[in-house]
Amino acid sequence: MEACPTGTHDVHNVYAAQCPCRALLELLANKWTALAIGALEAGPMRFGALKQLLAGVSPKVLTQTLRRLEDSGMVARTVYPAVPAHVEYELTALGRSVSEPLRGLRVWVEHHLDDVVGENRDRDLTLLES
């Protein structure tokens, strides 16, 4: 636990129900957040390129994810004057600081999927779905 620098509460504690840390943890634990941050590690990207890379994400969900990351200060959105407008998204210093632990999680998932699901993937993968 860490003392709250703003003084709004005694300590930051993700286990405490009312701690604002929970909202940040929820944002970072979201699969589309982890994947979007990973995609942006290589540098600025346009919305269409992100959508293509993040196979299966809907435009609505990607927009919501990018807005939440922008609102939290982890992603910067830059609009370049052109017709049509050219918009790029990139990680801020804060976003780059969380990219490393999220990268570790993505790598762990890829390396240990078989250990988790076992031999019968069809049956076992349904257990992982929410």
Side-chain angles (χ1 to χ4, degrees):
M1 289 183 282
E2 187 174 318
C4 177
T6 65
T8 56
H9 50 278
D10 293 336
V11 294
H12 293 303
N13 179 357
V14 295
Y15 296 103
Q18 299 304 314
C19 185
C21 292
R22 289 266 182 107
L24 181 55
L25 181 61
E26 180 183 352
L27 172 63
L28 294 174
N30 178 280
K31 73 177 173 185
W32 296 119
T33 295
L35 294 173
I37 287 174
L40 292 170
E41 284 179 325
M45 293 183 77
R46 294 178 75 168
F47 184 89
L50 275 168
K51 185 178 176 321
Q52 185 174 11
L53 184 60
L54 304 181
V57 69
S58 70
K60 178 182 176 181
V61 169
L62 181 56
T63 298
Q64 290 171 340
T65 301
L66 290 169
R67 282 185 185 153
R68 288 182 73 195
L69 289 170
E70 184 181 5
D71 290 346
S72 68
M74 288 184 253
V75 167
R77 179 179 182 266
T78 305
V79 180
Y80 296 95
V83 178
H86 176 115
V87 179
E88 287 185 345
Y89 298 88
E90 66 181 315
L91 294 177
T92 62
L94 185 62
R96 284 189 300 278
S97 74
V98 77
S99 68
E100 186 175 339
L102 289 176
R103 183 181 331 111
L105 178 60
R106 291 188 309 270
V107 168
W108 186 93
V109 166
E110 290 173 346
H111 284 125
H112 293 283
L113 178 65
D114 293 335
D115 298 332
V116 172
V117 300
E119 293 179 17
N120 188 342
R121 285 182 173 223
D122 291 337
R123 183 190 73 222
D124 292 336
L125 281 176
T126 61
L127 298 174
L128 300 177
E129 295 173 3
S130 53

